[in-house]
Amino acid sequence: MSKSEQTPENQQAPDAEVALDSAETIETTGEEVEAQDAELSSEEIIAQLREKLNATEQKASENWDSFVRLQAEMDNHRKRSDKQVEDAHKFASQKFVESLLPVVDSMEMGMAAEGDVEQIREGMGLTLKLFESVMEKNKIEAVDPMGEKFNPELHQAMAMQPNPEMENNTVMAVMQKGFTISGRLIRPAMVMVVKNP
């Protein structure tokens, strides 16, 4: 049989064999490529994981350093705060004492002064005014409730007496002034209160 007389089935047989051989070769080559890719992929994955691990370790190290610094800063802040509170307790009255020093100076000059009683009284009056201005600056106010209604929050009743000229529960005498600082009672005024029958 000549080549021209061969059937198409016969003609396709050699091509099919070639195609089969090519497919096997491609398949074999494909397996080799996949194996190489698998090896490369594993190495690449390991390299990527190493990079990620290094980055994570570096980040953890940075976070640890930040934590240690923050801890130290908080300790320093606490120590500073404790020191400030301690100083505030120690020197809370410093401004008040500084404002009292001119009064002390005035009293010492009055004690050293010579003269008659009127001059000494005048000097004492000036010293008292100076002292009252110091108290005003420091928000210390006197409680002198003469003629006012008795207030148990500011006054302490020492005695009760009848007085027909005044209403009940009115302060008729102040034995000792009271004092407040910024509205807070330091000492109540000691008073005598009217109690009519």
Side-chain angles (χ1 to χ4, degrees):
M1 231 188 321
S2 69
K3 280 191 173 182
S4 58
E5 292 176 351
Q6 289 178 347
T7 61
E9 290 175 355
N10 292 340
Q11 287 177 355
Q12 288 178 359
D15 289 340
E17 283 178 19
V18 169
L20 242 152
D21 288 342
S22 296
E24 286 176 5
T25 306
I26 290 171
E27 195 173 295
T28 306
T29 309
E31 287 174 3
E32 290 173 5
V33 168
E34 282 178 13
Q36 289 174 352
D37 282 349
E39 287 177 24
L40 290 175
S41 293
S42 296
E43 289 174 7
E44 286 176 0
I45 290 171
I46 290 170
Q48 288 175 356
L49 289 175
R50 282 194 177 131
E51 285 177 19
K52 286 181 181 179
L53 178 62
N54 290 339
T56 305
E57 285 176 346
Q58 184 177 357
K59 187 69 176 173
S61 177
E62 289 170 7
N63 288 339
W64 178 254
D65 289 346
S66 295
F67 170 75
V68 169
R69 276 194 221 99
L70 184 62
Q71 189 84 13
E73 191 175 318
M74 287 175 62
D75 285 346
N76 289 339
H77 180 70
R78 183 185 49 76
K79 287 175 186 174
R80 277 193 306 270
S81 296
D82 290 348
K83 177 76 170 131
Q84 287 172 348
V85 168
E86 185 182 330
D87 287 349
H89 287 300
K90 278 184 186 176
F91 306 112
S93 59
Q94 181 175 349
K95 283 186 178 181
F96 180 66
V97 171
E98 286 172 358
S99 63
L100 281 178
L101 294 178
V103 177
V104 172
D105 294 340
S106 178
M107 291 178 78
E108 285 176 350
M109 288 190 304
M111 294 296 289
E114 293 181 14
D116 63 5
V117 175
E118 282 305 311
Q119 287 177 332
I120 293 172
R121 286 178 67 90
E122 186 180 335
M124 286 179 65
L126 292 172
T127 302
L128 182 60
K129 283 183 183 177
L130 181 63
F131 186 69
E132 286 171 348
S133 72
V134 166
M135 289 174 56
E136 188 178 322
K137 283 179 190 174
N138 288 283
K139 299 180 182 178
I140 299 171
E141 295 178 10
V143 178
D144 189 3
M146 183 64 187
E148 297 177 7
K149 282 285 187 186
F150 176 73
N151 181 351
E153 292 178 6
L154 298 174
H155 313 146
Q156 182 176 351
M158 302 305 291
M160 300 181 100
Q161 283 191 344
N163 187 339
E165 297 175 7
M166 299 179 86
E167 292 182 23
N168 269 345
N169 291 328
T170 303
V171 174
M172 65 181 286
V174 178
M175 299 164 188
Q176 188 179 65
K177 289 180 185 178
F179 290 93
T180 61
I181 184 167
S182 298
R184 183 178 183 179
L185 186 67
I186 298 172
R187 181 180 83 183
M190 294 183 181
V191 297
M192 186 178 292
V193 184
V194 174
K195 175 76 173 175
N196 289 323

